Amino acid sequence: MQELNAHEDESEYHADTLPLKKTENQKFNGSTANIRRFSPVIVIIAVILVLFICITLAVVIAKYTDSNCSNCEKENPPHIVLVLSDDQGWNDIGWHNPDVLTPNLIRLGKQGVILENSYVQPVCTPSRAAILTGKYPFRTGLQWLVVENHQPKFLPTNITILPELLKERGYTTHIVGKWHLGHCSEDVIPTKRGFDSFLGILKGGGDYYSMSFGGNYDFWKNEDIYFPPEGSYSTDLFTDRAVEIIENNDGKTSPLFLQISYTTPHFPLQVPKTFKDMYPNVTDANRQTYLGMVSSLDYGIGKVVNALERNDYMDNTVFIFLADNGGDLDFGSSNLPLRGDKGDLWEGGTKSVGLVYSPKYLGQSGCIHYGMIHAVDWFSTILDIAKYQQVESDHLDSVSQWEHLKECSGSARSEFVYNIDDDIAMSAALRVDNYKIIVGDPRVYNFNASTFVSSPIDPSNTEVRLFNLYDDPSETRNIASENPIKVKTMLRKLDEYRKDSVTAANPDYLPKNITHPNGVLRLDWC
C-alpha cells in the first residue's frame, strides 16, 4: 500500500565565534568579553525562541480557525458525483459476472475502489432516506417499504438532509432522476429540500417513454411538469441533463454535488433495441431486456464520466456508484450467489454493488474494499469529502468511511441494523462482525403489480435465524440453536436500538384522484 507522506527538511545551524584579537592598547573587561563572546549564541537562541513562538501561535490559530470558522478551507473542496442504479442485482455487474457488459463501470472499478461489503436498505425509499439523512429508517418512520403511488408519505421535513448542509459549504446541488421521498406536496420535493435543480420523477418508477406510472404523468423540471420530446428514453434524458449541469457549472470556482438517481433497471422492462441486441444468446426475454437496461445505464455513466474529464472536473472529483437495493427477481435480475430478493432481509435484498473512483484522493487503484459500509455512512462520508466540519448529533447513525476508502482498508464500523419494523412487518435484522441475526420473516412483503399495493407476508412469524456470513455468505445454515449466548447478545443489541425507533409511517391510501384533469400528478393533496 502506497502512502504519500509530506517530509520537511530539518537544517542544523552552527554558530562559530571568532576569537577576539588582543592588542597592546586594548584593555579587557571580563564581563564585556564574555558578552561579546556569547552574543552570537544569544542572538541565535533568541531567533529560535521567536520562531518557536510564532509556529506555536500559527498552529493554535489554525486549529481555532478549523473548529470555529464555518467550514473554512483554502483549497476548493472536491466535486462529488453520486450515482444510484435502481434494483440492480449483485450478479448484474461486470466484475461479478463477465456476461454482463458494463465496460465503463469496470474501468472505473479497475482504477478505483470496488465495494464488496456495502449495504443498503431492502427497498428504494428507505435507502435514499438513509443516504441523505445519515439515520436508519426506523428513526425517520420510513422502515416499512416505500412511498406508494397514492400515499401521503414523505421524508420528514424537520430533518436537515445532505444537500442542505453541502450548500452551507458553498456547493451547487443538483439531482437528476428518481426522488421517491414524497410527492404529495411541493414542500417535500427536491427543490424544497436543498437541491438547486431537479429533473426527473417524484414517484418510485415509470414508463421509460410515456413517463406515466400508476395512472399519473410524473416527469418534472424543478417544480413544473415537463414534457420532453416525443420518443425520449428517460435514462438518456437523465444522462443528458447531468452532462448539461457539468458543462454549465464553473468547476474551478463552484464545487458541485450532483446526484444521478437512474430509474434503470427498475421495471417496467424497456430499453432501446441497440442495448437489448447486445445479449443475443440470452433466451429469457425478461433477462435479456433487463441486461440491456444495465448496459444502457453503463453507457450513460460513461457519458457522464467523459463530460467530467472533458471539462476538467476529474482532477478534483470523487465519483460514487451504488445500487439502491438488491435485484428484483421477478423482473430479470440475479443476486447469485446471495440468497433473496429485493425487499428481503436476506443478503440478496440488502447488499449493494458499488465503487468509488477519484484519481486525486484515492491512495489505491484497482483495489477491492472489504470493509463494512452501510447506506447511512454516505451522509458523513460525503460531508467529510466536502471538508464540512460535522457536529455531533443525537441519533446520527452515520460514520465517515472516507479515510478507510482512501486507503482501501478497514471500516469505521463493526455492526449495523438491516431494519427494525415492529409495527407492520414485525421483523428485524442486525449484523455484528460476521454474525447476522434475523427475527421474523426475512421476505417482508408482497407487492401487487396491478394495484401497486404492498402487504406484509407473515407478521406473525417469530423465528430467530443466526448466520455466520464469513462461513456461509449465502445464508444456508441457521446456527441459532448452536449459539444461544450469541443470539441472546445480539437480541439485546436490537433492543438497545429499538429504544430510539419511531412508529412506521403508513398513512391510509387516498382515492386515485390525485391528478389534474389532464392526468398530471398534483402536488397539493397532503
Side-chain angles (χ1 to χ4, degrees):
M1 180 167 56
Q2 184 178 2
E3 296 183 359
L4 301 178
N5 295 320
H7 296 281
E8 293 184 12
D9 293 331
E10 295 182 356
S11 299
E12 292 183 7
Y13 296 90
H14 301 281
D16 296 323
T17 304
L18 295 176
L20 293 174
K21 189 175 181 180
K22 289 186 180 182
T23 66
E24 290 183 2
N25 298 324
Q26 189 173 23
K27 295 183 180 179
F28 286 95
N29 180 288
S31 60
T32 302
N34 287 336
I35 290 173
R36 288 175 177 172
R37 185 179 303 115
F38 293 109
S39 59
V41 176
I42 293 171
V43 170
I44 291 170
I45 292 172
V47 169
I48 292 172
L49 284 173
V50 169
L51 287 173
F52 176 77
I53 292 169
C54 290
I55 292 170
T56 303
L57 285 172
V59 171
V60 171
I61 291 170
K63 291 181 70 175
Y64 180 84
T65 301
D66 285 343
S67 60
N68 291 277
C69 179
S70 180
N71 307 309
C72 293
E73 291 284 347
K74 289 183 179 180
E75 183 181 350
N76 287 335
H79 306 292
I80 302 166
V81 180
L82 171 64
V83 178
L84 298 178
S85 65
D86 200 347
D87 294 2
Q88 185 174 4
W90 183 254
N91 197 38
D92 299 328
I93 193 76
W95 57 75
H96 288 160
N97 182 352
D99 294 333
V100 182
L101 305 178
T102 54
N104 292 296
L105 286 167
I106 287 176
R107 177 176 76 87
L108 294 175
K110 284 183 176 180
Q111 298 174 7
V113 173
I114 291 175
L115 308 176
E116 279 295 283
N117 207 12
S118 172
Y119 285 84
V120 287
Q121 297 300 129
V123 286
C124 313
T125 294
S127 284
R128 295 161 200 274
I131 291 169
L132 292 181
T133 66
K135 297 173 180 285
Y136 290 127
F138 65 84
R139 302 201 200 279
T140 61
L142 297 176
Q143 62 267 51
W144 165 248
L145 290 188
V146 300
V147 177
E148 303 276 16
N149 273 0
H150 300 85
Q151 194 176 35
K153 176 178 174 179
F154 48 85
L155 177 64
T157 56
N158 63 340
I159 299 175
T160 301
I161 66 173
L162 184 60
E164 296 174 288
L165 296 175
L166 290 174
K167 286 181 73 66
E168 294 179 14
R169 186 70 179 91
Y171 276 78
T172 57
T173 58
H174 302 272
I175 182 170
V176 177
K178 173 173 169 176
W179 176 238
H180 210 191
L181 291 171
H183 56 269
C184 62
S185 166
E186 279 198 9
D187 292 335
V188 302
I189 67 175
T191 50
K192 297 299 177 68
R193 301 305 306 268
F195 286 101
D196 293 322
S197 78
F198 167 60
L199 179 82
I201 67 172
L202 292 173
K203 298 197 292 181
D207 189 286
Y208 286 78
Y209 295 98
S210 72
M211 318 304 172
S212 293
F213 193 56
N216 317 123
Y217 182 86
D218 177 30
F219 204 82
W220 301 81
K221 189 172 185 178
N222 301 323
E223 297 92 20
D224 300 318
I225 202 70
Y226 176 65
F227 296 94
E230 187 174 352
S232 297
Y233 185 61
S234 60
T235 301
D236 294 339
L237 292 172
F238 300 149
T239 297
D240 292 345
R241 172 57 181 156
V243 170
E244 179 185 37
I245 290 168
I246 292 165
E247 292 180 340
N248 290 339
N249 186 68
D250 186 347
K252 298 300 182 184
T253 61
S254 179
L256 172 67
F257 174 65
L258 174 58
Q259 180 176 331
I260 312 172
S261 298
Y262 284 104
T263 53
T264 195
H266 190 289
F267 78 89
L269 298 178
Q270 298 171 312
V271 72
K273 187 174 183 296
T274 302
F275 295 102
K276 187 175 180 179
D277 288 348
M278 294 170 66
Y279 298 91
N281 298 322
V282 177
T283 57
D284 181 271
N286 276 1
R287 180 67 175 167
Q288 185 186 39
T289 304
Y290 173 91
L291 290 176
M293 295 173 78
V294 172
S295 291
S296 75
L297 164 75
D298 180 82
Y299 177 74
I301 289 173
K303 290 181 70 174
V304 171
V305 171
N306 286 340
L308 290 167
E309 293 172 341
R310 186 173 63 250
N311 291 278
D312 298 326
Y313 278 80
M314 201 56 90
D315 61 347
N316 190 32
T317 291
V318 178
F319 184 97
I320 302 165
F321 168 74
L322 307 168
D324 68 338
N325 47 249
D328 192 332
L329 303 186
D330 291 333
F331 295 97
S333 72
S334 171
N335 296 316
L336 293 175
L338 305 178
R339 181 178 183 178
D341 196 356
K342 170 187 176 179
D344 291 352
L345 294 174
W346 299 118
E347 293 293 281
T350 57
K351 206 167 187 182
S352 165
V353 295
L355 66 83
V356 179
Y357 171 78
S358 180
K360 177 176 181 178
Y361 293 100
L362 297 180
Q364 295 259 324
S365 62
C367 174
I368 298 177
H369 183 249
Y370 294 97
M372 184 188 296
I373 301 177
H374 189 267
V376 295
D377 295 338
W378 294 109
F379 178 86
S380 291
T381 301
I382 289 173
L383 289 178
D384 205 3
I385 293 169
K387 303 174 185 177
Y388 183 98
Q389 299 295 330
Q390 300 179 57
V391 179
E392 291 292 332
S393 172
D394 290 339
H395 303 155
L396 187 65
D397 301 296
S398 179
V399 293
S400 175
Q401 302 281 3
W402 185 223
E403 293 301 319
H404 296 282
L405 290 170
K406 286 193 292 185
E407 298 302 325
C408 194
S409 176
S411 173
R413 66 165 64 249
S414 59
E415 66 184 59
F416 67 86
V417 180
Y418 291 82
N419 198 30
I420 296 174
D421 181 357
D422 294 333
D423 302 302
I424 302 169
M426 307 302 290
S427 59
L430 170 72
R431 177 171 175 177
V432 179
D433 297 323
N434 290 322
Y435 287 92
K436 175 181 179 180
I437 193 167
I438 305 174
V439 181
D441 196 322
R443 298 171 299 168
V444 183
Y445 78 104
N446 277 318
F447 173 68
N448 188 321
S450 61
T451 63
F452 292 95
V453 174
S454 301
S455 57
I457 289 180
D458 186 7
S460 62
N461 188 315
T462 58
E463 183 178 353
V464 175
R465 297 169 172 86
L466 181 70
F467 303 96
N468 184 325
L469 295 178
Y470 182 82
D471 296 332
D472 182 20
S474 299
E475 300 169 290
T476 61
R477 193 168 78 89
N478 182 2
I479 58 173
S481 61
E482 306 164 29
N483 297 272
I485 296 176
K486 177 64 71 176
V487 168
K488 184 177 180 180
T489 300
M490 294 185 73
L491 289 176
R492 190 180 300 120
K493 274 185 174 289
L494 271 174
D495 287 339
E496 287 297 315
Y497 281 108
R498 278 189 171 94
K499 291 179 181 178
D500 299 310
S501 64
V502 300
T503 302
N506 191 37
D508 292 337
Y509 289 83
L510 296 181
K512 295 188 178 182
N513 60 348
I514 61 171
T515 58
H516 293 290
N518 61 358
V520 173
L521 177 69
R522 290 185 2 233
L523 300 179
D524 60 356
W525 49 278
C526 72

